[in-house]
Amino acid sequence: MTSVTVHGICATDVKVNTKEDIATDVTLTRDLSGCDTFKTQRSLTSPLAIITGLQYPLSKLIGSTQTCNYKFDNQKKHMTSATCTEKHIFLPFSYQNTYGISSLVYNVL
C-alpha cells in the first residue's frame, strides 16, 4: 500500500490488529527515506558541526521511520484516536541502525 504524508507518497505496511465488523485497531509503518519527496540536502558542515566539508546528502545519513496506530469505533464507524511516532537516527553514530544519536517525535491526535 502507498500513503501520502508530509514526506510524499510512501510505501506503507498495514497491520490490522483487531477486527470486528470493521478494522478497529490498525497500525501503519513506513520507512520515510523511501518517500518520493523525502528531502535530500547537502551541507558544508555536519549537523553536529564536527566535520566540515561534508558533501554527502544529509538525508542519507539519517534513518527515519514512522509508525501510526489508529483506533475506530465499531458501531459508529469513525476514528476515536490516533498516535504517531517518528524516529530519526543519525546513522554514522548508530549501533545496528537502532541505538545512538536519535530523536523521537510522538503525536497524539
Side-chain angles (χ1 to χ4, degrees):
M1 175 180 173
T2 59
S3 179
V4 177
T5 69
V6 295
H7 305 288
I9 297 175
C10 308
T12 304
D13 293 323
V14 178
K15 180 181 178 192
V16 176
N17 303 313
T18 307
K19 182 172 174 56
E20 295 176 31
D21 296 329
I22 64 168
T24 56
D25 186 348
V26 178
T27 301
L28 306 179
T29 305
R30 22 180 109 81
D31 176 358
L32 298 179
S33 63
C35 299
D36 69 347
T37 59
F38 190 71
K39 301 292 184 203
T40 301
Q41 307 214 0
R42 294 185 182 274
S43 176
L44 296 176
T45 307
S46 78
L48 301 176
I50 295 173
I51 306 165
T52 58
L54 182 66
Q55 296 296 322
Y56 195 73
L58 293 180
S59 63
K60 300 301 181 194
L61 298 177
I62 298 172
S64 299
T65 57
Q66 181 186 67
T67 302
C68 295
N69 180 260
Y70 301 95
K71 298 201 185 300
F72 297 90
D73 182 288
N74 187 55
Q75 293 180 348
K76 296 181 181 178
K77 314 274 193 264
H78 69 272
M79 186 186 326
T80 58
S81 70
T83 57
C84 290
T85 304
E86 281 188 17
K87 183 175 183 181
H88 307 278
I89 187 158
F90 190 56
L91 297 174
F93 295 123
S94 71
Y95 173 70
Q96 296 179 341
N97 292 344
T98 303
Y99 308 102
I101 299 173
S102 66
S103 68
L104 188 63
V105 179
Y106 184 73
N107 293 306
V108 178
L109 307 171

